Amino acid sequence: MNIKALQKIGYGVYVVSSRKGDKFNGQIANTVFQVTSQPPTIAVSINRNNLTWEYIKDSRVFSVSVLCEDTPLTFIGRFGFKSGRDTDKFQGLDYKIGETGAPVVLDNAVSYLEARVKQEVDVGTHTIFIGEVVDADTLAEKACLTYDYYHQIKGGLTPKAAATYAEVKPIVKAEEKQEAKSAMAKYRCTVCGYIYEPEKGDPDGGISPGTPFEKIPDSWVCPVCGAAKTDFEKE
Ligand code: FE
């Protein structure tokens, strides 16, 4: 069996949010899909170790924000690589309280959906929550972010708790290897695995393409997980 076949399945990138009492949490998920149109029903697959899982179990409601293609990595890092147990992910964000009482993230969203859980399926590490859509709207006429674009173009990573996690090393062609040798050194974040590539820089973080790692200000942080510059190691 070639497990790589699974990586050819197309996905989007979403923030799935929920509440527990008056507390909010949200996380990045790529496994969101519509399962019926009458009534409009969606499903999400959430890792049972995640705080959002606990909140959905408790409140039986969740929201989904469909992210746009130009969503910065820092935003995905906030929801995908940090735990709501340690930080308030909603601080300083544009969001609203939906009809179900769940928070709905509006920043970087092209549309949102809100659902009440009708069924759930235990699939081992994850639970699939199936919910009837009770509210939805479009927010912007922009391209939505696909999982492929996130990986290939933005250089994004997949947290270990994701339903589709797989340890994948990017395929580097021989000529690219040769080129890389003579180019500026890449640095890897020891916390999340993000690789700083001088050629690409970090435009979202104010670092122009072509900036060597050594020239980045000390105040710069990992665009994915927020780790300090000192947490990076030379590749
Ligand atoms: Fe990082």
Side-chain angles (χ1 to χ4, degrees), residues 202-224:
D202 172 24
D204 291 339
I207 310 297
S208 354
T211 308
F213 187 78
E214 296 74 15
K215 292 271 169 69
I216 297 176
D218 290 339
S219 55
W220 178 80
V221 294
C222 172
V224 175

Side-chain angles (χ1 to χ4, degrees), residues 10-205:
Y11 298 99
V13 181
Y14 313 96
V15 178
V16 174
S17 305
S18 188
R19 72 177 155 88
K20 185 179 186 179
D22 57 359
K23 287 184 293 182
F24 299 147
N25 198 50
Q27 64 157 83
I28 297 290
N30 63 321
T31 44
V32 172
F33 52 102
Q34 181 174 357
V35 289
T36 64
S37 62
Q38 223 36 267
T41 306
I42 54 172
V44 295
S45 179
I46 302 289
N47 190 299
R48 44 173 69 245
N49 293 325
N50 289 355
L51 191 62
T52 306
W53 181 91
E54 205 181 301
Y55 282 22
I56 299 175
K57 271 277 189 187
D58 185 81
S59 63
R60 318 298 296 164
V61 297
F62 63 90
S63 74
V64 173
S65 301
V66 181
L67 298 181
C68 65
E69 208 170 75
D70 46 15
T71 302
L73 282 177
T74 42
F75 180 90
I76 296 173
R78 178 199 283 234
F79 281 100
F81 286 89
K82 294 207 170 127
S83 173
R85 293 182 180 100
D86 312 320
T87 65
D88 175 7
K89 297 185 184 182
F90 288 81
Q91 200 181 11
L93 271 198
D94 187 15
Y95 68 94
K96 67 169 189 175
I97 310 300
E99 281 199 11
T100 63
V104 179
V105 172
L106 304 173
D107 271 339
N108 302 305
V110 291
S111 70
Y112 71 85
L113 311 154
E114 249 194 288
R116 284 187 199 284
V117 175
K118 292 291 173 197
Q119 278 183 65
E120 57 179 82
V121 183
D122 178 348
V123 285
T125 56
H126 289 65
T127 298
I128 300 170
F129 294 104
I130 300 162
E132 187 173 333
V133 177
V134 295
D135 190 29
D137 205 357
T138 53
L139 300 167
E141 288 307 320
K142 290 203 269 187
C144 47
L145 180 59
T146 66
Y147 210 47
D148 202 42
Y149 187 91
Y150 169 65
H151 281 293
Q152 305 300 329
I153 311 295
K154 295 178 94 76
L157 303 150
T158 307
K160 284 206 167 71
T164 57
Y165 177 75
E167 200 134 16
V168 192
K169 293 259 184 265
I171 301 155
V172 183
K173 293 190 192 112
E175 59 265 34
E176 282 174 358
K177 266 188 195 158
Q178 205 53 42
E179 204 177 289
K181 261 184 202 164
S182 57
M184 293 172 278
K186 294 178 183 177
Y187 280 75
R188 176 191 290 269
C189 173
T190 54
V191 178
C192 76
Y194 163 82
I195 294 172
Y196 175 79
E197 297 180 50
E199 292 75 17
K200 289 185 186 167
D202 172 24
D204 291 339

